[in-house]
Amino acid sequence: MARLILALETSCDETSAAILQDGTEILSNIISSQIDVHKKFGGVVPEVASRKHLELINGVIKEALEQAGTDFSRLSAVAVTYGPGLVGALLVGVAAAKAIAYAKDIPLLGVNHLEGHLYANFLVEPGLEFPLLCLVVSGGHTDLVVMSGHGSYQVVGRTRDDAAGEAFDKVARTLELGYPGGPLIDRLATQGDEDAVVLPRAYLEKGSLDFSFSGLKSAVINYRHRSLQRGEEIDRADLAASFQRAVVDVLVDKTLEAAVRFDVQTVLLAGGVAANRRLRDALALGCSNRGLRLVIPPPVLCTDNAAMIACASYYKFLRGDFAPLTLNAVPGLKLGEEKY
Ligand code: KG4
Ligand code: ZN
């Protein structure tokens, strides 16, 4: 009989529910974005996010079941993101999943949000062979992760300050583009010259696989302020393109260096910033020049969604790694850590 997993994702500003069959086939992946609500505040307001999740969660679950042509009685398990993320937002998904697990007497699976991002790649290619190197770039994280098996992670590089997505969002705010900044910079940059503005790239000490984007972000903000003070008009497309290029250069260089150092032949890209076209193209070129295989999920599976959570949970299900009904939200959960 087919194994159906219902997964819920409510860690930030998307309320999402998905049904996955046998770990590979997405029967539904409903994503209700709250972007329009948070846009007026220029960023995610945690209290508003939790309230919105509460309003949306039951309808999103219902739609996921309907679109998959199934109902609660046919589920093999229910999975949920329990961290990292906004505590009030996470709690909505965790409470809903626990209620379903209890009422239907099915196993509960607790998934790390970052693990979900990594596993979006297994939706694209279920047969990926280890070891794998994954660049996880989201609004809250920029990590280089070596995966030596299912559920086995070694973080070999991380950001020391801002995450890549955070830098995109802050620069977009400076350029008065709106929220969320990543997709807007991605679009505007196509009209700009990426060599127009000279910006710093932080490679840190020799051999380091860590990242730092706060210097670059400040350089863009200062450039903008200086031009405003002088009353000069800046070309926002040029500045967006130059900023994006500086981020992409460092991300790609360090990823390729890590692949060599850890002797990994297959590279994965994950997280919201993985939707960035410039990054996708540059990493594809770098990997092909070095004979490395690259897997990148389609953009809809890069940004927050429950299908990726379902996929990560499927391998936990196979291992019998079930969470107790006392599962709680863990806002600061680290990759590879299990807190239940
Ligand atoms: O993974 P995600 O959806 O949520 C978190 O777990 O944080 O990532 C959201 C981040 C935001 O900072 C957003 O601006 C960025 O991903 N993002 C992009 C693009 N699409 C989303 N950044 C650059 N280019 C994009 N096309
Ligand atoms: Zn995410």
Side-chain angles (χ1 to χ4, degrees):
M1 209 174 71
R3 282 197 191 107
L4 296 186
I5 295 182
L6 164 68
L8 309 180
E9 155 63 43
T10 64
S11 68
C12 190
D13 59 347
E14 329 278 354
T15 316
S16 181
I19 305 279
L20 190 69
Q21 181 170 314
D22 295 327
T24 52
E25 206 182 326
I26 303 172
L27 301 187
S28 59
N29 187 23
I30 309 299
I31 305 164
S32 177
S33 173
Q34 306 175 4
I35 285 175
D36 286 343
V37 183
H38 298 287
K39 229 182 210 164
K40 11 184 200 300
F41 304 104
V44 180
V45 183
E47 182 54 32
V48 175
S50 351
R51 265 189 258 160
K52 269 281 155 198
H53 284 307
L54 210 51
E55 276 171 33
L56 295 166
I57 189 83
N58 286 337
V60 166
I61 293 173
K62 189 162 175 268
E63 204 177 328
L65 290 166
E66 275 170 13
Q67 203 180 92
T70 191
D71 56 51
F72 285 121
S73 69
R74 290 181 50 209
L75 299 177
S76 302
V78 56
V80 65
T81 306
Y82 74 106
L86 304 168
V87 66
L90 289 164
L91 277 170
V92 177
V94 169
K98 289 200 291 192
I100 295 166
Y102 178 70
K104 294 292 157 192
D105 195 20
I106 51 175
L108 176 68
L109 300 155
V111 177
N112 181 309
H113 181 75
L114 298 172
E115 197 175 9
H117 276 304
L118 279 163
Y119 271 87
N121 288 281
F122 285 85
L123 287 170
V124 181
E125 287 214 33
L128 283 171
E129 284 183 19
F130 300 104
L132 300 162
L133 173 72
C134 188
L135 172 65
V136 189
V137 268
S138 70
H141 292 82
T142 303
D143 291 334
L144 274 168
V145 182
V146 175
M147 242 183 123
S148 49
H150 286 296
S152 163
Y153 314 102
Q154 186 192 358
V155 180
V156 298
R158 57 174 64 76
T159 183
R160 293 187 187 169
D161 40 58
D162 291 353
E166 201 179 343
F168 268 95
D169 294 338
K170 287 179 180 164
V171 164
R173 201 177 305 163
T174 301
L175 299 183
E176 290 154 24
L177 297 179
Y179 178 86
L184 298 165
I185 289 188
D186 190 343
R187 210 171 311 140
L188 183 64
T190 58
Q191 297 154 33
D193 171 5
E194 58 182 28
D195 296 316
V197 185
V198 179
L199 294 169
R201 285 146 174 77
Y203 283 92
L204 305 171
E205 14 2 299
K206 198 170 161 34
S208 173
L209 293 174
D210 282 350
F211 301 95
S212 166
F213 295 108
S214 71
L216 169 62
K217 176 196 69 186
S218 302
V220 176
I221 294 172
N222 291 341
Y223 182 90
R224 171 81 168 142
H225 285 169
R226 269 199 308 273
S227 58
L228 281 176
Q229 276 164 3
R230 289 193 207 118
E232 289 167 4
E233 256 316 303
I234 59 159
D235 188 321
R236 293 193 304 170
D238 281 353
L239 190 50
S242 303
F243 159 76
Q244 179 176 269
R245 170 71 190 273
V247 174
V248 168
D249 278 355
V250 180
L251 289 174
V252 171
D253 289 349
K254 296 219 176 205
T255 303
L256 297 176
E257 193 180 327
V260 173
R261 197 175 309 168
F262 293 93
D263 196 19
V264 177
Q265 297 303 314
T266 305
V267 175
L268 315 177
L269 187 57
V273 183
N276 184 271
R277 285 168 290 178
R278 186 68 181 79
L279 175 61
R280 295 164 83 93
D281 292 348
L283 198 56
L285 184 66
C287 285
S288 102
N289 286 343
R290 282 165 185 76
L292 299 167
R293 235 179 113 227
L294 175 67
V295 181
I296 311 181
V300 67
L301 296 177
C302 288
T303 44
D304 291 350
N305 69 90
M308 68 184 194
I309 303 301
C311 185
S313 81
Y314 176 71
Y315 294 89
K316 288 192 159 212
F317 181 83
L318 295 182
R319 293 197 295 274
D321 181 0
F322 304 137
L325 285 177
T326 51
L327 181 73
N328 207 347
V330 184
L333 189 68
K334 305 244 180 330
L335 190 62
E337 189 179 49
E338 267 180 12
K339 286 212 164 168
Y340 49 76

